[in-house]
Amino acid sequence: MHIDIWSEEFGAATDEPILLVMGSMSQGILWPDEFVGRLSAGGRRVIRYDHRDTGRSATIDFAAQPYTWRDICDDVLRVMDAHGLASAHLVCHSAGGLLGQLIAVEHPERVRTLTVIGSSPLGGGEGMVIMRALMGEQQPEGSLPEPAPEFTEFFRGVITAAPAANRREQIERMIAEERLLHGGALPFDEDASRKLQERIYDRARDLGALVNHRLAAAADPGFEPVGVLAQVKAPTLVIEGTHEPAKPGHGALIAAEIPGAQLLIIDRMGHTLPPEVHEELANAVLAHTAA
């Protein structure tokens, strides 16, 4: 099945290529323009894209043409192919980090380096940990650390809320979610958030189509192979904020499983990428992806 994927690139075609892979249900523009600009100014060819069923990429009739997270993972490789890249530096956020880890395991020749930000270890069952937390169920021994209480409380409300009545109400909900994911340690710029969420809302072909990512995850519960991270050969940088609300402590677990991985903890960062951390993030990625 042919899928149209929107992408854009910055920097010279001869520069070291970085492919930015955003998390589940997220548009590529959640990689902030300033952060992208710092990378391209540092001599990198930077590519960001919208996952299928987000932003300007194709929306799918899931009932007629169901897909899985394996297909979303294959889209990463398709974007690389479309830009003429046999390999690239993968910089991945949240669930995008799972995609990057899987590609590093199964297609090592395509990954020059791997950077995962605010993510969980492949095969750790992070989705089930969040689901059990939302249901108020006890986590089995050995499970990943569960989300912060404020995260669980917020998304319990999201699950039970009626659909937004209009654009304004939906954008207010999106701002509230960004505020929660921000982590609380750094000032939250509501005006900037409103502009971003309006942009996300207005550029989406079908904003509701992003829930297909949840259906895709449910359609392939075996998406994440267990016990394979020791196979990762790509130099790996793992980044987590001190105020990560969704996956607290997961970064250290990734770094512990991947041979030679480095762990960077960024003070006061939550699950988003606010301006206050762009310089440190960009410098770390530039150093990690230096030829």
Side-chain angles (χ1 to χ4, degrees):
M1 178 173 62
H2 175 77
I3 300 292
D4 289 326
I5 299 292
W6 174 89
S7 67
E8 62 180 349
E9 67 172 82
F10 309 81
T14 54
D15 288 342
E16 283 288 307
I18 290 178
L19 177 60
L20 301 174
V21 184
M22 189 36 75
S24 174
M25 303 187 291
S26 299
Q27 298 183 20
I29 63 168
L30 281 172
W31 292 106
D33 293 343
E34 181 186 342
F35 173 69
V36 172
R38 285 178 178 272
L39 295 180
S40 61
R44 301 294 182 271
R45 176 188 179 188
V46 186
I47 299 163
R48 63 182 177 183
Y49 72 99
D50 291 338
H51 291 297
R52 63 172 70 194
D53 277 323
T54 75
R56 294 178 180 173
S57 288
T59 57
I60 314 298
D61 180 345
F62 195 88
Q65 296 178 304
Y67 62 85
T68 71
W69 263 87
R70 281 273 174 178
D71 296 307
I72 297 175
C73 190
D74 288 343
D75 289 342
V76 180
L77 302 177
R78 294 187 187 106
V79 172
M80 292 172 63
D81 292 342
H83 286 266
L85 296 173
S87 64
H89 303 278
L90 298 186
V91 178
C92 314
H93 184 262
S94 194
L98 298 177
L99 302 178
Q101 291 170 67
L102 184 61
I103 292 170
V105 169
E106 297 189 343
H107 303 278
E109 74 285 355
R110 309 219 55 178
V111 184
R112 301 188 187 188
T113 66
L114 175 64
T115 302
V116 291
I117 306 169
S119 191
S120 299
L122 185 72
E126 174 255 350
M128 286 303 301
V129 169
I130 292 178
M131 184 58 65
R132 285 192 293 264
L134 293 175
M135 298 299 292
E137 299 176 0
Q138 185 173 356
Q139 303 287 351
E141 186 176 353
S143 295
L144 296 172
E146 65 181 24
E150 59 269 24
F151 177 98
T152 302
E153 181 179 357
F154 179 88
F155 282 100
R156 281 176 181 162
V158 169
I159 291 172
T160 58
N166 50 47
R167 177 182 183 273
R168 185 182 65 82
E169 183 177 334
Q170 181 60 43
I171 288 172
E172 291 298 331
R173 293 185 183 189
M174 293 160 68
I175 293 170
E177 180 174 333
E178 184 181 1
R179 184 190 301 273
L180 177 279
L181 295 175
H182 188 69
L186 291 168
F188 181 72
D189 188 336
E190 185 167 332
D191 289 339
S193 177
R194 186 175 305 280
K195 290 177 182 177
L196 174 62
Q197 302 308 332
E198 288 174 345
R199 185 182 176 194
I200 288 171
Y201 186 100
D202 292 337
R203 71 189 297 277
R205 291 189 181 185
D206 177 2
L207 192 66
L210 55 81
V211 301
N212 286 344
H213 285 200
R214 294 178 182 169
L215 300 177
D220 185 12
F223 161 72
E224 298 184 48
V226 177
V228 297
L229 286 182
Q231 299 175 25
V232 174
K233 298 294 189 289
T236 300
L237 173 64
V238 183
I239 301 174
E240 184 175 313
T242 57
H243 288 70
E244 168 63 58
K247 309 159 196 276
H250 293 201
L253 299 176
I254 301 172
E257 290 193 44
I258 296 179
Q262 304 174 55
L263 176 64
L264 172 63
I265 301 297
I266 295 186
D267 187 41
R268 300 187 298 162
M269 188 175 81
H271 195 64
T272 60
L273 307 174
E276 293 88 345
V277 305
H278 290 173
E279 182 176 6
E280 185 173 3
L281 268 179
N283 287 344
V285 171
L286 288 171
H288 186 59
T289 59

